[in-house]
Amino acid sequence: MCCDIVGEDCFRQLCQQYIQQNPIQTRALEMYGTSFSEFLSHVTGMQEHTPYLPDMAKMEFLIHTAYYAKNRSPFDFLKFESAFETQGDKIAFTLAADVHLLHSQWPLHKLLEPEFSGLTSNTTFYYIIERPRFQVKVNPIGQELFQYLTHIAHRKTFLTLSETTPNVDTLTRDSIIQGWIGGFYVSE
């Protein structure tokens, strides 16, 4: 996607600069490039010509990460019911391994459309990136759902979620049905 936006020659030069400044230090090559979007935000002229490119690079990396994530397992309702009865105030949910969240001031989902023209930045866009059935999808979502899932990603307990999220029951039910909530644990 980023290569399509800036062109192959420009993208190759950006990658070479990134590699020079960020030598590979891990054997997990699939994680190399985590900071590429941050790198792009500091490239001279980037903000003037393609200010959305760092967010697009971040989305592209999250698509890559979602693709290679562990497959989803069904939510264990019996185990959850048992744990909730005895330790409900300490229950915290986890997102499925393929679920990632992204917010941007740019309509990144529109940039992916071939007929897109024009770009404005006057609001915040929220996205969920997931691989529900072996194909990665990027979907815009509402702010309330984004904040709820972000709280889960930050390991907030269900008790905290209930105190801070008005539609917690609906959001929880829908997130489990969609497979975005992959499990739970009892926090200490």
Side-chain angles (χ1 to χ4, degrees):
M1 291 180 286
C2 291
C3 183
D4 293 338
I5 291 170
V6 298
E8 193 171 323
D9 290 339
C10 179
F11 188 70
R12 184 176 291 123
Q13 289 175 2
L14 289 168
C15 289
Q16 287 172 345
Q17 289 175 16
Y18 177 77
I19 291 167
Q20 288 173 352
Q21 294 177 22
N22 301 278
I24 296 173
Q25 297 179 354
T26 179
R27 291 182 187 185
L29 291 180
E30 69 276 1
M31 296 309 292
Y32 184 70
T34 303
S35 62
F36 187 61
S37 61
E38 179 69 23
F39 162 79
L40 289 175
S41 68
H42 298 294
V43 172
T44 306
M46 191 65 61
Q47 289 301 319
E48 181 182 341
H49 299 290
T50 52
Y52 50 86
L53 195 64
D55 286 354
M56 183 60 83
K58 186 174 217 160
M59 183 174 76
E60 193 166 3
F61 185 76
L62 292 175
I63 289 169
H64 168 82
T65 304
Y67 182 81
Y68 288 103
K70 184 176 130 182
N71 292 335
R72 293 181 183 181
S73 299
F75 188 83
D76 191 337
F77 288 100
L78 293 175
K79 212 173 182 181
F80 175 72
E81 182 180 26
S82 174
F84 194 78
E85 287 176 6
T86 59
Q87 299 175 308
D89 59 334
K90 295 181 180 180
I91 295 281
F93 293 114
T94 58
L95 295 178
D98 65 289
V99 172
H100 302 283
L101 303 167
L102 175 67
H103 65 88
S104 175
Q105 68 184 46
W106 305 103
L108 301 176
H109 62 292
K110 300 258 187 216
L111 290 168
L112 302 175
E113 297 172 359
E115 66 278 352
F116 177 72
S117 65
L119 189 64
T120 59
S121 170
N122 57 2
T123 188
T124 302
F125 297 88
Y126 302 95
Y127 299 96
I128 187 164
I129 300 160
E130 61 171 325
R131 182 185 45 92
R133 289 200 170 94
F134 309 108
Q135 183 173 356
V136 178
K137 299 186 325 185
V138 177
N139 290 311
I141 59 174
Q143 181 179 6
E144 182 182 36
L145 177 57
F146 181 86
Q147 289 173 335
Y148 170 77
L149 293 173
T150 299
H151 286 315
I152 290 174
H154 292 143
R155 304 183 157 290
K156 302 290 184 194
T157 64
F158 186 70
L159 178 63
T160 302
L161 290 172
S162 340
E163 293 169 348
T164 60
T165 308
N167 299 317
V168 68
D169 291 338
T170 303
L171 291 169
T172 302
R173 181 196 68 221
D174 292 350
S175 296
I176 291 172
I177 289 170
Q178 291 294 329
W180 300 331
I181 292 178
F184 69 93
Y185 63 97
V186 178
S187 65
E188 297 302 319

